[in-house]
Structures are given as C-alpha cells and as structure tokens.
Amino acid sequence: MTEIQADKLAELQAVRAPAIGGRLARWRMALGNAWHELRKSRTASIGAVMLVLLFGACIATPWITTYDPIKQNYRERLQPPSEKHLLGTDRMGRDIYTRLLYGGRRLVAIALLAVTFGLSVGIPYGVLSGYFGGKVDTVAMRFIDGLLAFPGLLFYLLVVTLAREWKIEGIANDAVLVFALGFAFMPEVARLSRGTVLAEKQKEYVEASRAVGDGSLSIALRQILPNIISPLIVNATVRLGYVILIVAALSFLGLGTPPPTPDWGSDLAAARDYMETAPLIAAFPGLAICYTVLAFNLFGDGLRDILDPRLAER
Amino acid sequence: MAETVLELDDLTVRFHLRRGDLTAVDGASFSIERGQTFGLVGESGSGKSVTAKAIMRLIPAPPGEIPRGRVLFEGSNILDKSDAEMRALRGRRIAMVFQEPMSALNPVFTVCDQISDALRTNLGLSKKEARERVVELLSLVGIPSPQKRLDSYVHEFSGGMRQRVMLAMALSCNPNFLIADEPTTALDVTIQATILELITGMIERLGMSLLFITHNLGVVAHACDRVGVMYASHIVELGDKREIFARPQHPYTVGLLNSIPRLDGQAKYLTPIAGSVCNMMDPPTGCKFHPRCSHAMDVCRREIPRLKEIAPGHLAACHLHDRGTA
Amino acid sequence: MAPTADDTLLRVKGLTKHFTLHGDIYSKLAGEKTQVLKAVDGIDFHIHRGETLGLVGESGCGKSTTARLVTRLIEPTAGEVTLKGENLLGFSRSRMKEARKEVQLVFQDPYSSLNPRKTIMHILSRPMEIHGLVRSWAEKRERVLELLRRVGLGIEHIDRYPHEFSGGQRQRIAIARALSVDPELVIGDEPVSALDVSIQAQILNLFRELQKEFGLTYLFIAHDLSVIRHISDRVAVMYVGKIVETGPAAALFDKPLHPYTKALLAAVPEADPAKPAPRLTLQGEVSTPIDPPPGCRLCGRCPRESAVCAEIAPPLVDVGDGRQVACHNL
C-alpha cells in the first residue's frame, strides 16, 4: 500500500467512527432540535406537554391505578371524590378515575391505529397518483372524489350497524371501527399528498434523479415522499383529535362498544341519568374528551405554524 | 449648479430576527445630484435593495430598525417625516421601479385604472383627463398603439412591456427622483437594451435623478454617472463611473471586474474572488472583505476601514490606502 | 486524437418537440383548432469529443427543452439523438438507464436541484448505487470524498444537508453528482446564471478544470453571451425553436453573420464604459413559438428582410470555416 492510500484509509476511518458510534448522540441531538423547534410556537409547546401527559397516562395505566375498571361494587356506588376514589365512583360502584384511564387507553389506541391505517393507504395512493399523473391520476382521483362525496358519519353508522348485525364483538368490533375511521380518512390523505407531490414534482431534483437513471418508484417514494411529509403530519395530528371525538360520539349514541367496556362516550351517556344528583360523573368523561381533542388540535395547529416555511424567517 | 437632490448620511438599517440581529446597511453615505444617475452595485445580500427601501421608508418595523443616519431629500430628513408627509412624497416626488413588474402591478386592474388612480388622487385630475394622460405616458415609454392597450390587464403584456408599464406608472406624477431596483434583471438581453435606453433617455429628457440598483456591472457601465460598490452592508468604493472602471481602488471592486467573462474572449481562466460572502448574522471583525482578500493585513482583521478620498471624488474603504496611495 | 468520424460524440438531427395546447372543452366544441407550440423545431447540431458547444438564446427559445430532449427527460416529437453512433431514441428502458450514465445534467437552480431531505453523502452516492459502480460502503464513501475534494469541498461537508450550503457550494455539489457516474457528456442548463458574479467565475473555472482533467465534453446552455463566449469552443445561437447560426466561438463573436446574432451581441452591456452602449437593432418583440408562420422566425423584426423571408424558412447552410447560417440575405 502506498503512503497516499494509507493516508486516505486513515482519513476514511476517522470519519466513519463517529458516524457509527454517534448514532445515539445523533438521536439525542434530533430530539433536542425537535424541542428547540417546538418552542417557536407556544401553542405547539402547550399541546406537546398535554400530549406527553396523555400518552404517559395511557402507557402507565396499570401502574397508576389498582382498581378493576369493569368489576361492579354496589356497596360503593355514586360516591363523591375521596382519597380512596380520586374522582368518585359511578352507578355501578366502579372507580371513575380507573375507567377514565382504561377508556382513554382504548380510545387513543383506536385513534392512532385508524389514522395510521389512513396514512398508510392514503399516502402511497396519493403519491403514486400524483407522480405518474395522466390517465392513472384522473381515474384514481375520480375514485377519491366519489369516496369524499359519501358523508363520513353515514358511513360510520353503516359500518357499526353492520357489525352489530353480524354480531361482531369485543376486539373485532374495535378493529372494524379502526377500519371504518381509517378508511374515511384515506381520501383526504390521498388528495393532500397528491397535491403536494404535484408541486414537488416540478422541482429540479426530481428531474436530476431521472437524469441519473433512478426508477420511478424509487423517485416517488425515496426522493419525493420525505419532502411532503410535513403537511401530512399536521393533518394527521388534527385528525387524531377528530377521530377521538367521533368514537366518543358513536358510543355516546350507543353505537360504539357496548358496556361494560370502559368508554368515555358511553360513560358520559350513562351519567346523564344522574345529572341532577351526581353531575361530576358526567363532568369527568366530558372533560377528558375535551382535554384530548384540545391537546391534539393545539399541537397540530402549532406544528402547522412551525412547519410553514413562510414563517421560518420571522 | 450641482444641486444635491438626495443625500445619505451614515444610514444604518438593522433587522431584529429570531436568530439574532442582522445589520443590512452599515453607515452608508453618498449623495446624488440633480440630473445624475447613481449606480449602486453589489451582489445578493450586500444591502443595496435595503438601502433603496430605506429611502422610500418601506422598511417594515419591526423587525427593521434605522438606529442611526439621515436621508436628506431636497434638504429635509425623510426619516423625520410623518406618514402623511411621506405618502405625499412617494409617487409625486420619489417613485420606484421594481425588478418584478408582475408582482408590483395589481393583476385585477387594467393598466389605465392603475395608473390613473395615482393621477387622480395625487394630481386631482378628472377621469377623462387622467385617461388622456395615461395614453400620453404609455406612448412616452414606447408602448405601441397605447389607445388599444389602455384596458388590458398586466398579464396580457410581455415582460418588457410590463416593465414599460411600471415605468409609465412611476413617471405618472412627474417625480424628480426615481429609484430603479434591478429593473432589467428579469429581462432578456435584447429587451434589457431597449429598457435601458428608455430609462436613460427619460432621465435626460425629464431632468430627473436616478438611483439605479443592479448587480450587473455592464449595466452600470452604460447607464450611470457615479457608482457606489456595496459589499456586506458597507459601501466600499464610491466614484465616477470612468474612474471606477479604469482605476478600481478597492480589492473587491478589482475582484468583481476580474470575475466577469468578456465578450472579446480573452483570458481562458477568470480570476474569481476566493471564498464566498460572509454570513451576515455573524460577520467577521474589521473589514468584512478580509477573509476573501488577497491583500489582507493584520489591521484589516481589527478595524473597519472608513471611506477615504483617494483621488478627487473617488473614495475607497480599504486599509491599503491608509498611507499614501497603493 | 485525430479527427475521425468517431470524433463526434453527440449528433442531433431534426430534433423536434411540439406541444399541443389543449383548449378547454368549450373551445373544442366551438370547433377552434388546437394550437401547437413549436418549442424546438427541427434542429441539427453535433459535439466533438472533448469540446464545449455553447447553446445561447433568449428565454423561451427552446434551449432548455433541447437539454431535456437530448437526455430523454421528455420524449421528442421527431428527430434523432445519436450518442457514440447509436440512436438514443430507439433505446429500451434498461438500455436507456445505462446510457444515462454517459450523459449528465447540471441544472440552473442549485436550490431546487438538490433534494433538501437528503445528505450530501446520499445525493452523491445514489447515482453510483443505481449504476452499480460501488460494492462496499467504504468504497462508496471514499469515492464521494474524492468527488467532494475534486469540486473544492471537504470531508467535513459529507454528512450535511443542502440547506447548510451557499448557492455556489450547492452548484459544486450538483457538479459532483453529475461526475459521480463518470459521464462523457455533461449538459449544463444555465448552470451559472443563478449565481453572483464572483461565484460564477469560480464555477466557470471549475468547469474548465474538470474538462481538462476528465476529458469531458460539454453542452453548455446559457443566455449570457459573455459566459458562452468564455466557456465555448463552438457556439449555436437559437431563436424561437430554430438554430440560426453556429460556428467557432471566436469567429462567431468577432464577425456575427445572422441578423439575430448581431442583434444579440449589440444588446450586451459590456462592463467597460468605453465600449458602445447596448442597443436593439431589431424591431418589436420576440416572436411567438405558438403556430408560427411558415417563413423565417425573425420575419417582421429583421433589418435585412426580403420577400422570400415570409414564405420559406431559411435552412442552415455551410458558409465555410466551420460556420453555418440560416438566412436568405447574407
């Protein structure tokens, strides 16, 4: 090996070492950057803190409460908040605090899965339709227009009723709900990603990739996709709040998972009978819904401000 | 005889941005006499456009701020004027032509509406009088058959014609001072030639003064009388056009002139200026040009050079000229 | 290398691109004819190995379209593009992918031509991956470093993102990307027109140095005549979809023959107050490429116009000394 080659190799390894060893450090840096960016918008920071609390509670549920959310205890029904029952008990004597936690866990999980489902179908659909354009695009988008023309709530009602007809219960019922909510989100995602791809496609880096000989799929998914993800994240965040509201509304109307599964919507509905004697029972699930939807919306709105390039310089 | 129309005295413009303060113009001083065309040259980010906006009082505050300096227009300081006085000045006494006529003109109004609007509010003309004046103006800037084009919209004009409409609008109220901010940069070279001819001819005929902002040294060489060269917020050289092109004194001006490829095709390799423009959020100490300068000395790193007269009417801000001439 | 038939790297014959402008459905119902925009209308040129052909013209003359046609980023309406004796337009998809290695593009806007979400390492190594030029990570990294060094950047830049660079540095990266697959022909589509004068000179010098070092052939497209004069060995002047004059740079600039070339040169403001002031020697404005009349495109603007000009489009004719001109009234 000549001296020059040895030199080169040494230099190469010098660069390579931190590239691998520094993966953890890089993650930490990315997290630090994210927080720094978040602080640009007060709305986003408040939303982020609220969301961290929410997700923390969802994950830690089994450790921060010891009660069973379903087991009834008629000796302790309709109790006001106390040290034993932080938020009191409901008409079946179940701890409201516990039910809220378990209900929230389920609700957030459904919302996350539904939105993920919507994104994972909608993004590739929209990106490919936008990238290939022409007749493919026309046909694909007319189909999406058709879907959008169908009212969302009607679709949920249809699916829920069918599920009930066919006696789909328990976890399968939740899965049906996830599918319905995700499917209804899909057209919006597809349109949004198609629109941004159309704008992005005009940029010269796409042409440069083609000139280099890169394949269409690779350009669409590897080169363009990372550039259109920001508006989609904002959209998905706001959508999460909306989905939670829909699920709660469905079960409030008695179309969600039947009792005794803990559910903010059905708990709220059940509490209506006790509005005059024990209004707090209704207040807590209501507040929980408010808090969650607000958290997602604040975070989403703040995120939009941060990611909007027009605001980047100010 | 030489009456000063505009005088800038130590004008400084600063922007308070989220990431820190940015001094866009730092102590700019020059004056423009009646009938004179002053060319302000510099590369992107040098502060030449900000200077123009400061003269028109178009710097948004916040984030902008003018911490020191004066802009004397016909003897009175523009920066002290009230908003109402300023509105009376803009358009009627000082007018501006922009680089991008498409974004400076309103797409939903016809050409006649746009120009006559200013005429009616500023000069109090009637609708009919204004219309006649617009025809006059359009033919003045060389738009063929102006009667027919009166009721056209901006998008129906080509790039060169749009710039003519801009010019007609700027000239509508007989201003005696015109600021042209890169008016030919977006145009093709043949159209640029006609617009340049038009502007210089107009200035001469109407006895106006012009502040011409451009990055194109070729345009400066033919359209201007005096030239100011800006680099990273400072005016580094100031002088008569012929002086500047024949005997450039600042290393940056020299570098710029050596960077331009020539039509006669001499020089296989150009001698560019090394490196790139400094980060304006974190500028170097001393002379802003010293990291790229081949003559940099110790003093350049410490002290900002002041503009000094090297020959009559020819000033340069460089430490090379501290002792005698270099 | 002796000048043989093999000496020609790229030959373009009758290259044509017409865009059909579709009116809305109402104008179709009204029986209006669809308009045709003749962006590039039957142009011929060739480039010898190792030389630089400058393609100059004003905006909308079809020079950028020509770059995209030659690289088959858009499909021509008619014509031939022959690279090393083989017609690119007949190539299959896989064959074309291989040929892309030979012809690389450098774009005008260094801000949009680099993917903002990819590191320099990715941007420069992706072309090599596509063409299977590297086997190991270390080899890839080494080649990227070498490219960076060659265009005047350093090892510290390799893991950064495009937004961390200035315009000039980005253009260096774009050039490095073009070189990453060892092309024979590099097409520069206004590669210096978005840059400041002092940076432009650096990049022009870089193009020169790289040409000498790697024996590259350039098709250099620009609207700035001084830049074209500086970089080119031979020049082709385009006007509304046609080439009106070609020839060795020095001869063409010193003694332009076509009225349009003359007009272009007279309009350039030179950075020397002693030179004559720029002026326009033509009448009116640039003609439209939409449904152009059959005659010469310069018809109606030309000072030397005669009756035949409106009827017949002048062909590009040899006038000796390697020069060709398309004009009836020389």
Side-chain angles (χ1 to χ4, degrees), chain B residues 44 158 188 190 268 270 273, chain C residues 58-59 196 202 205 208 285:
Chain B
S44 45
S158 68
D188 274 321
T190 53
K268 224 169 159 52
L270 301 164
I273 306 171
Chain C
E58 296 182 284
S59 50
D196 273 322
Q202 295 174 1
N205 278 355
R208 264 270 158 78
E285 297 217 331

Side-chain angles (χ1 to χ4, degrees), chain B residues 221-233:
Chain B
H222 296 285
C224 306
D225 305 316
R226 263 177 87 74
V227 180
V229 182
M230 271 190 105
Y231 181 78
S233 80

Side-chain angles (χ1 to χ4, degrees), chain C residues 39-253:
Chain C
V40 175
D41 200 13
I43 61 170
D44 307 309
F45 64 86
H46 63 276
I47 311 178
H48 299 292
R49 218 175 272 273
E51 80 167 350
T52 302
L53 178 73
L55 192 58
V56 68
E58 296 182 284
S59 50
C61 73
K63 53 193 194 304
S64 286
T65 309
T66 304
R68 281 157 182 76
L69 290 173
V70 169
T71 46
R72 262 186 93 179
L73 284 176
I74 48 181
E75 293 295 325
T77 310
E80 255 176 52
V81 178
T82 319
L83 184 75
K84 294 200 269 189
E86 288 179 287
N87 188 359
L88 281 185
L89 304 183
F91 279 5
S92 68
R93 191 182 282 253
S94 57
R95 200 59 217 290
M96 192 58 216
K97 184 184 153 188
E98 220 151 279
R100 293 209 181 281
K101 207 168 83 56
E102 308 292 332
V103 186
Q104 280 300 304
L105 265 161
V106 177
F107 295 89
Q108 169 174 8
D109 181 4
Y111 288 86
S112 87
S113 74
L114 303 177
N115 192 337
R117 300 274 168 160
K118 301 287 179 187
T119 62
I120 302 312
M121 174 70 192
H122 175 96
I123 290 171
L124 295 186
S125 64
R126 179 78 190 136
M128 302 177 200
E129 279 171 22
I130 292 168
H131 293 285
L133 300 177
V134 282
R135 278 175 302 277
S136 66
W137 182 89
E139 192 188 348
K140 198 160 81 180
R141 190 120 180 144
E142 184 174 354
R143 288 199 53 165
V144 168
L145 278 176
E146 212 173 288
L147 280 171
L148 279 179
R149 210 172 295 140
R150 195 56 214 87
V151 297
L153 295 170
I155 192 165
E156 69 276 14
H157 297 119
I158 195 166
D159 288 318
R160 296 199 192 159
Y161 288 88
H163 70 88
E164 298 173 62
F165 295 91
S166 67
Q169 287 175 318
R170 285 176 193 224
Q171 205 57 304
R172 287 175 192 270
I173 294 165
I175 293 170
R177 171 176 57 194
L179 296 182
S180 65
V181 290
D182 295 323
E184 296 224 25
L185 176 67
V186 173
I187 302 180
D189 184 12
E190 303 261 12
V192 297
S193 50
L195 305 174
D196 273 322
V197 182
S198 67
I199 306 301
Q200 172 179 303
Q202 295 174 1
I203 300 297
L204 283 176
N205 278 355
L206 180 65
F207 268 107
R208 264 270 158 78
E209 287 159 22
L210 294 172
Q211 179 166 46
K212 216 162 93 187
E213 191 174 331
F214 299 109
L216 294 170
T217 307
Y218 289 147
L219 172 58
F220 202 98
I221 295 168
H223 68 273
D224 186 327
L225 285 130
S226 329
V227 166
I228 286 287
R229 170 73 181 94
H230 177 78
I231 195 94
S232 314
D233 301 312
R234 286 192 311 120
V235 176
V237 183
M238 266 187 103
Y239 181 72
V240 200
K242 297 253 190 206
I243 289 180
V244 295
E245 181 166 2
T246 73
L252 190 138
F253 275 73

Side-chain angles (χ1 to χ4, degrees), chain A residues 40 305-306 308-314, chain B residues 15-20 22 63 281:
Chain A
K40 281 184 190 167
D305 293 347
I306 295 169
D308 191 334
R310 277 171 299 178
L311 295 168
E313 269 307 299
R314 286 289 149 91
Chain B
F15 291 95
H16 301 285
L17 301 175
R18 215 176 256 279
R19 290 173 294 147
L22 185 151
M281 300 294 292

